[in-house]
Amino acid sequence: MTILSSFAHSVDIVSSTAPAKTVRLINVHLESHYHDLHIKILVDDLREPGCGRGIMAGDFNAVNPEDEDEDGLEPSRVDKVAMLGLNAEEMEILRPGRIKIPRPGKESLEIPWSDHYGLRCTFTI
């Protein structure tokens, strides 16, 4: 695993039969005020020699109104998946579950365990 910085972690998948076909997986948590700079750094990382294929996924902190889902989800609350040289076979929005917070002498609170909607993306290398 490589820690690119505080905003991304990556893992390379290298096949023993085809080492030139490295796939890089990058988990991101981008800061909105550095969003464009972070994207450029990560795209360059995906395109470095010996790589050329991969996925960036996670909290892009994108707040473009056109990103809003047909279900009316807030654009900044839905995580994103970006792929280079790979194709998604299936993608699913994972809505946050709820957890109970006990409060002595009071009724428990139920709150979402996250303020984000994660994504499950299926792909073949």
PDB file of all heavy atoms in Angstrom, residues 6-28:
ATOM      1  N   SER A   6      -2.431  12.713   2.684  1.00  0.00           N
ATOM      2  CA  SER A   6      -3.565  12.572   3.584  1.00  0.00           C
ATOM      3  C   SER A   6      -4.870  12.368   2.821  1.00  0.00           C
ATOM      4  O   SER A   6      -5.863  12.000   3.419  1.00  0.00           O
ATOM      5  CB  SER A   6      -3.678  13.811   4.465  1.00  0.00           C
ATOM      6  OG  SER A   6      -3.896  14.952   3.656  1.00  0.00           O
ATOM      7  N   PHE A   7      -4.882  12.567   1.508  1.00  0.00           N
ATOM      8  CA  PHE A   7      -6.128  12.470   0.761  1.00  0.00           C
ATOM      9  C   PHE A   7      -6.285  11.203  -0.061  1.00  0.00           C
ATOM     10  O   PHE A   7      -7.316  10.986  -0.675  1.00  0.00           O
ATOM     11  CB  PHE A   7      -6.330  13.704  -0.144  1.00  0.00           C
ATOM     12  CG  PHE A   7      -5.289  13.879  -1.213  1.00  0.00           C
ATOM     13  CD1 PHE A   7      -5.432  13.268  -2.448  1.00  0.00           C
ATOM     14  CD2 PHE A   7      -4.183  14.682  -0.994  1.00  0.00           C
ATOM     15  CE1 PHE A   7      -4.478  13.441  -3.433  1.00  0.00           C
ATOM     16  CE2 PHE A   7      -3.231  14.867  -1.979  1.00  0.00           C
ATOM     17  CZ  PHE A   7      -3.375  14.238  -3.202  1.00  0.00           C
ATOM     18  N   ALA A   8      -5.282  10.306  -0.090  1.00  0.00           N
ATOM     19  CA  ALA A   8      -5.407   9.091  -0.892  1.00  0.00           C
ATOM     20  C   ALA A   8      -4.461   7.992  -0.440  1.00  0.00           C
ATOM     21  O   ALA A   8      -3.342   8.261   0.001  1.00  0.00           O
ATOM     22  CB  ALA A   8      -5.145   9.409  -2.357  1.00  0.00           C
ATOM     23  N   HIS A   9      -4.934   6.751  -0.563  1.00  0.00           N
ATOM     24  CA  HIS A   9      -4.126   5.552  -0.336  1.00  0.00           C
ATOM     25  C   HIS A   9      -4.276   4.674  -1.568  1.00  0.00           C
ATOM     26  O   HIS A   9      -5.351   4.591  -2.143  1.00  0.00           O
ATOM     27  CB  HIS A   9      -4.610   4.784   0.899  1.00  0.00           C
ATOM     28  CG  HIS A   9      -4.493   5.556   2.162  1.00  0.00           C
ATOM     29  ND1 HIS A   9      -5.511   6.333   2.641  1.00  0.00           N
ATOM     30  CD2 HIS A   9      -3.469   5.694   3.031  1.00  0.00           C
ATOM     31  CE1 HIS A   9      -5.120   6.902   3.766  1.00  0.00           C
ATOM     32  NE2 HIS A   9      -3.882   6.539   4.026  1.00  0.00           N
ATOM     33  N   SER A  10      -3.201   4.000  -1.961  1.00  0.00           N
ATOM     34  CA  SER A  10      -3.301   3.161  -3.150  1.00  0.00           C
ATOM     35  C   SER A  10      -2.697   1.784  -2.921  1.00  0.00           C
ATOM     36  O   SER A  10      -1.843   1.599  -2.062  1.00  0.00           O
ATOM     37  CB  SER A  10      -2.616   3.828  -4.349  1.00  0.00           C
ATOM     38  OG  SER A  10      -1.224   3.822  -4.201  1.00  0.00           O
ATOM     39  N   VAL A  11      -3.182   0.839  -3.722  1.00  0.00           N
ATOM     40  CA  VAL A  11      -2.693  -0.527  -3.720  1.00  0.00           C
ATOM     41  C   VAL A  11      -2.534  -0.939  -5.175  1.00  0.00           C
ATOM     42  O   VAL A  11      -3.415  -0.664  -6.006  1.00  0.00           O
ATOM     43  CB  VAL A  11      -3.687  -1.484  -3.028  1.00  0.00           C
ATOM     44  CG1 VAL A  11      -3.246  -2.930  -3.165  1.00  0.00           C
ATOM     45  CG2 VAL A  11      -3.871  -1.116  -1.580  1.00  0.00           C
ATOM     46  N   ASP A  12      -1.414  -1.581  -5.516  1.00  0.00           N
ATOM     47  CA  ASP A  12      -1.201  -2.101  -6.866  1.00  0.00           C
ATOM     48  C   ASP A  12      -1.489  -3.593  -6.882  1.00  0.00           C
ATOM     49  O   ASP A  12      -1.057  -4.327  -5.988  1.00  0.00           O
ATOM     50  CB  ASP A  12       0.238  -1.876  -7.332  1.00  0.00           C
ATOM     51  CG  ASP A  12       0.524  -0.429  -7.673  1.00  0.00           C
ATOM     52  OD1 ASP A  12      -0.434   0.367  -7.776  1.00  0.00           O
ATOM     53  OD2 ASP A  12       1.703  -0.084  -7.842  1.00  0.00           O
ATOM     54  N   ILE A  13      -2.211  -4.032  -7.909  1.00  0.00           N
ATOM     55  CA  ILE A  13      -2.443  -5.454  -8.141  1.00  0.00           C
ATOM     56  C   ILE A  13      -1.589  -5.830  -9.337  1.00  0.00           C
ATOM     57  O   ILE A  13      -1.779  -5.308 -10.435  1.00  0.00           O
ATOM     58  CB  ILE A  13      -3.931  -5.741  -8.426  1.00  0.00           C
ATOM     59  CG1 ILE A  13      -4.778  -5.300  -7.230  1.00  0.00           C
ATOM     60  CG2 ILE A  13      -4.130  -7.219  -8.753  1.00  0.00           C
ATOM     61  CD1 ILE A  13      -6.263  -5.387  -7.470  1.00  0.00           C
ATOM     62  N   VAL A  14      -0.628  -6.717  -9.095  1.00  0.00           N
ATOM     63  CA  VAL A  14       0.301  -7.127 -10.145  1.00  0.00           C
ATOM     64  C   VAL A  14       0.129  -8.621 -10.386  1.00  0.00           C
ATOM     65  O   VAL A  14       0.241  -9.423  -9.462  1.00  0.00           O
ATOM     66  CB  VAL A  14       1.770  -6.836  -9.739  1.00  0.00           C
ATOM     67  CG1 VAL A  14       2.729  -7.229 -10.845  1.00  0.00           C
ATOM     68  CG2 VAL A  14       1.949  -5.371  -9.368  1.00  0.00           C
ATOM     69  N   SER A  15      -0.144  -8.975 -11.627  1.00  0.00           N
ATOM     70  CA  SER A  15      -0.294 -10.377 -12.000  1.00  0.00           C
ATOM     71  C   SER A  15       1.081 -10.998 -12.228  1.00  0.00           C
ATOM     72  O   SER A  15       1.932 -10.409 -12.892  1.00  0.00           O
ATOM     73  CB  SER A  15      -1.132 -10.477 -13.275  1.00  0.00           C
ATOM     74  OG  SER A  15      -1.066 -11.784 -13.801  1.00  0.00           O
ATOM     75  N   SER A  16       1.280 -12.201 -11.699  1.00  0.00           N
ATOM     76  CA  SER A  16       2.557 -12.883 -11.920  1.00  0.00           C
ATOM     77  C   SER A  16       2.714 -13.318 -13.373  1.00  0.00           C
ATOM     78  O   SER A  16       3.825 -13.488 -13.855  1.00  0.00           O
ATOM     79  CB  SER A  16       2.685 -14.091 -10.991  1.00  0.00           C
ATOM     80  OG  SER A  16       1.626 -15.003 -11.236  1.00  0.00           O
ATOM     81  N   THR A  17       1.603 -13.458 -14.090  1.00  0.00           N
ATOM     82  CA  THR A  17       1.674 -13.873 -15.497  1.00  0.00           C
ATOM     83  C   THR A  17       1.725 -12.688 -16.456  1.00  0.00           C
ATOM     84  O   THR A  17       2.081 -12.852 -17.609  1.00  0.00           O
ATOM     85  CB  THR A  17       0.470 -14.755 -15.867  1.00  0.00           C
ATOM     86  OG1 THR A  17      -0.736 -14.027 -15.611  1.00  0.00           O
ATOM     87  CG2 THR A  17       0.475 -16.043 -15.055  1.00  0.00           C
ATOM     88  N   ALA A  18       1.334 -11.505 -15.974  1.00  0.00           N
ATOM     89  CA  ALA A  18       1.348 -10.309 -16.829  1.00  0.00           C
ATOM     90  C   ALA A  18       1.729  -9.096 -16.002  1.00  0.00           C
ATOM     91  O   ALA A  18       0.918  -8.206 -15.767  1.00  0.00           O
ATOM     92  CB  ALA A  18      -0.014 -10.114 -17.489  1.00  0.00           C
ATOM     93  N   PRO A  19       2.997  -9.007 -15.540  1.00  0.00           N
ATOM     94  CA  PRO A  19       3.398  -7.909 -14.659  1.00  0.00           C
ATOM     95  C   PRO A  19       3.280  -6.522 -15.287  1.00  0.00           C
ATOM     96  O   PRO A  19       3.201  -5.534 -14.575  1.00  0.00           O
ATOM     97  CB  PRO A  19       4.848  -8.243 -14.311  1.00  0.00           C
ATOM     98  CG  PRO A  19       5.295  -9.219 -15.332  1.00  0.00           C
ATOM     99  CD  PRO A  19       4.069  -9.933 -15.821  1.00  0.00           C
ATOM    100  N   ALA A  20       3.243  -6.431 -16.598  1.00  0.00           N
ATOM    101  CA  ALA A  20       3.116  -5.129 -17.254  1.00  0.00           C
ATOM    102  C   ALA A  20       1.685  -4.598 -17.186  1.00  0.00           C
ATOM    103  O   ALA A  20       1.425  -3.478 -17.595  1.00  0.00           O
ATOM    104  CB  ALA A  20       3.562  -5.233 -18.709  1.00  0.00           C
ATOM    105  N   LYS A  21       0.761  -5.404 -16.685  1.00  0.00           N
ATOM    106  CA  LYS A  21      -0.644  -4.996 -16.625  1.00  0.00           C
ATOM    107  C   LYS A  21      -1.072  -4.676 -15.193  1.00  0.00           C
ATOM    108  O   LYS A  21      -2.091  -5.141 -14.721  1.00  0.00           O
ATOM    109  CB  LYS A  21      -1.530  -6.079 -17.225  1.00  0.00           C
ATOM    110  CG  LYS A  21      -1.274  -6.277 -18.705  1.00  0.00           C
ATOM    111  CD  LYS A  21      -2.312  -7.161 -19.308  1.00  0.00           C
ATOM    112  CE  LYS A  21      -2.077  -7.235 -20.811  1.00  0.00           C
ATOM    113  NZ  LYS A  21      -3.207  -7.756 -21.511  1.00  0.00           N
ATOM    114  N   THR A  22      -0.282  -3.884 -14.510  1.00  0.00           N
ATOM    115  CA  THR A  22      -0.587  -3.487 -13.141  1.00  0.00           C
ATOM    116  C   THR A  22      -1.882  -2.686 -13.097  1.00  0.00           C
ATOM    117  O   THR A  22      -2.127  -1.816 -13.933  1.00  0.00           O
ATOM    118  CB  THR A  22       0.562  -2.639 -12.561  1.00  0.00           C
ATOM    119  OG1 THR A  22       1.725  -3.444 -12.516  1.00  0.00           O
ATOM    120  CG2 THR A  22       0.244  -2.135 -11.171  1.00  0.00           C
ATOM    121  N   VAL A  23      -2.708  -2.980 -12.086  1.00  0.00           N
ATOM    122  CA  VAL A  23      -3.941  -2.233 -11.845  1.00  0.00           C
ATOM    123  C   VAL A  23      -3.774  -1.533 -10.505  1.00  0.00           C
ATOM    124  O   VAL A  23      -3.422  -2.159  -9.501  1.00  0.00           O
ATOM    125  CB  VAL A  23      -5.168  -3.169 -11.808  1.00  0.00           C
ATOM    126  CG1 VAL A  23      -6.417  -2.393 -11.445  1.00  0.00           C
ATOM    127  CG2 VAL A  23      -5.336  -3.878 -13.136  1.00  0.00           C
ATOM    128  N   ARG A  24      -4.013  -0.238 -10.471  1.00  0.00           N
ATOM    129  CA  ARG A  24      -3.869   0.550  -9.246  1.00  0.00           C
ATOM    130  C   ARG A  24      -5.249   0.911  -8.712  1.00  0.00           C
ATOM    131  O   ARG A  24      -6.088   1.456  -9.427  1.00  0.00           O
ATOM    132  CB  ARG A  24      -3.068   1.817  -9.526  1.00  0.00           C
ATOM    133  CG  ARG A  24      -2.832   2.667  -8.281  1.00  0.00           C
ATOM    134  CD  ARG A  24      -1.673   3.610  -8.460  1.00  0.00           C
ATOM    135  NE  ARG A  24      -0.444   2.818  -8.543  1.00  0.00           N
ATOM    136  CZ  ARG A  24       0.631   3.204  -9.223  1.00  0.00           C
ATOM    137  NH1 ARG A  24       0.647   4.343  -9.862  1.00  0.00           N
ATOM    138  NH2 ARG A  24       1.707   2.437  -9.246  1.00  0.00           N
ATOM    139  N   LEU A  25      -5.468   0.614  -7.444  1.00  0.00           N
ATOM    140  CA  LEU A  25      -6.702   0.982  -6.751  1.00  0.00           C
ATOM    141  C   LEU A  25      -6.380   2.122  -5.804  1.00  0.00           C
ATOM    142  O   LEU A  25      -5.467   2.006  -4.991  1.00  0.00           O
ATOM    143  CB  LEU A  25      -7.244  -0.207  -5.957  1.00  0.00           C
ATOM    144  CG  LEU A  25      -7.422  -1.528  -6.708  1.00  0.00           C
ATOM    145  CD1 LEU A  25      -7.902  -2.605  -5.756  1.00  0.00           C
ATOM    146  CD2 LEU A  25      -8.361  -1.357  -7.870  1.00  0.00           C
ATOM    147  N   ILE A  26      -7.116   3.223  -5.920  1.00  0.00           N
ATOM    148  CA  ILE A  26      -6.862   4.399  -5.083  1.00  0.00           C
ATOM    149  C   ILE A  26      -8.136   4.764  -4.331  1.00  0.00           C
ATOM    150  O   ILE A  26      -9.177   5.003  -4.934  1.00  0.00           O
ATOM    151  CB  ILE A  26      -6.397   5.604  -5.925  1.00  0.00           C
ATOM    152  CG1 ILE A  26      -5.141   5.261  -6.739  1.00  0.00           C
ATOM    153  CG2 ILE A  26      -6.137   6.805  -5.022  1.00  0.00           C
ATOM    154  CD1 ILE A  26      -4.729   6.356  -7.708  1.00  0.00           C
ATOM    155  N   ASN A  27      -8.039   4.794  -3.012  1.00  0.00           N
ATOM    156  CA  ASN A  27      -9.140   5.239  -2.163  1.00  0.00           C
ATOM    157  C   ASN A  27      -8.894   6.703  -1.827  1.00  0.00           C
ATOM    158  O   ASN A  27      -7.803   7.060  -1.392  1.00  0.00           O
ATOM    159  CB  ASN A  27      -9.199   4.396  -0.891  1.00  0.00           C
ATOM    160  CG  ASN A  27     -10.277   4.885   0.038  1.00  0.00           C
ATOM    161  OD1 ASN A  27     -10.038   5.771   0.841  1.00  0.00           O
ATOM    162  ND2 ASN A  27     -11.454   4.318  -0.084  1.00  0.00           N
ATOM    163  N   VAL A  28      -9.894   7.549  -2.054  1.00  0.00           N
ATOM    164  CA  VAL A  28      -9.690   8.986  -1.889  1.00  0.00           C
ATOM    165  C   VAL A  28     -10.634   9.603  -0.864  1.00  0.00           C
ATOM    166  O   VAL A  28     -11.731   9.113  -0.624  1.00  0.00           O
ATOM    167  CB  VAL A  28      -9.862   9.747  -3.236  1.00  0.00           C
ATOM    168  CG1 VAL A  28      -8.893   9.231  -4.270  1.00  0.00           C
ATOM    169  CG2 VAL A  28     -11.279   9.671  -3.749  1.00  0.00           C
TER     170      VAL A  28
END
